[in-house]
Amino acid sequence: RCGEARGDYEFNPEELICAGCLPHSADTSCDKHGTEFIEYKCRFCCSTAVFFCFGTTHFCDACHSRPGDMQTMQSSGTLPPCPAGPLGKKLEGDCPLGLSESSHPEPGEEMVLGCGICRNAKTSF
């Protein structure tokens, strides 16, 4: 799906970032579960990311369906602050990810959420 969306876009392979060099990479390992279940926030909204594209960007499913629009909103400064829904929709109330205002990154920034198993265990019990 990413390859199809890329179209004629040319990129510089030297600009790709390995997972170990990403911002917050020190937080990308769980003492109990290793690295397999680490989750990221979508760069563009308050959803859990399910795609990692371009070697730099985590997307939720909805934002991944329109990457050009999301990158345009980011570069123009029109991404809404938290709480933000997919595709640039401003939400009311608390952050859907349960993040506090002080721990929330600015719109358009990457953020590791931590281990999905441990996060789920904390909210389920």
Side-chain angles (χ1 to χ4, degrees), residues 20-39:
C21 295
L22 286 170
H24 310 290
S25 63
D27 301 326
T28 59
S29 183
C30 172
D31 292 337
K32 275 185 166 179
H33 305 106
T35 59
E36 187 175 355
F37 302 103
I38 298 300
E39 294 179 328

Side-chain angles (χ1 to χ4, degrees), residues 53-93:
C53 300
F54 317 118
T56 59
T57 308
H58 288 90
F59 289 93
C60 68
D61 189 48
C63 291
H64 184 260
S65 70
R66 295 184 34 205
D69 292 342
M70 302 316 300
Q71 291 168 329
T72 298
M73 290 179 75
Q74 179 183 352
S75 63
S76 67
T78 57
L79 285 174
C82 178
L87 303 175
K89 181 180 180 184
K90 176 67 176 152
L91 302 176
E92 298 297 323

Side-chain angles (χ1 to χ4, degrees), residues 41 44-46 73 77-85 88-96 101 104-108:
K41 175 194 160 302
F44 306 104
C45 71
C46 300
M73 290 179 75
T78 57
L79 285 174
C82 178
K89 181 180 180 184
K90 176 67 176 152
L91 302 176
E92 298 297 323
D94 296 330
C95 177
E101 189 174 326
H104 208 288
E106 293 294 317

